[in-house]
Amino acid sequence: IGGTSTAVLNGANEAAVAAFLQEKIGFYDITDVVAECMAGADFVANPDLDCIFETNETTLAKAGEIIRKIQK
C-alpha cells in the first residue's frame, strides 16, 4: 500500500478518533469509519504534495459524513 492510501488512512483515523474522544461514536466505530473511507477512496500511486493535501481534505469530509450517519 502506498501512494495516497496513507493520506486516506491518516485523515479517516484523525476524524474518527476525534469523534470518539467527543463521545460521538463508539470505540469500535473507529475501524468502521477508516474501513469505509479506505474502500471508497480513489488512489493515486505517485501523488505530488498537492494531491496528498487534497486527498486528506476529501477524506476528512467523507469521514465526517460517515460519522454523522453512525453518531450516537
Side-chain angles (χ1 to χ4, degrees):
I1 294 179
T4 55
S5 62
T6 54
V8 174
L9 177 63
N10 181 69
N13 188 63
E14 181 181 320
V17 170
F20 168 70
L21 292 174
Q22 295 170 5
E23 299 182 357
K24 292 181 178 179
I25 64 172
F27 179 75
Y28 294 108
D29 294 326
I30 294 171
T31 55
D32 294 337
V33 172
V34 172
E36 193 168 334
C37 286
M38 293 291 287
D42 294 324
F43 293 105
V44 177
N46 295 305
D48 60 17
L49 192 55
D50 288 334
C51 182
I52 291 170
F53 286 136
E54 182 180 333
T55 299
N56 186 61
E57 290 300 316
T58 302
T59 303
L60 288 171
K62 178 65 176 174
E65 292 173 15
I66 297 165
I67 290 164
R68 282 188 289 281
K69 288 180 189 175
I70 61 175
Q71 200 166 328
K72 290 184 187 180

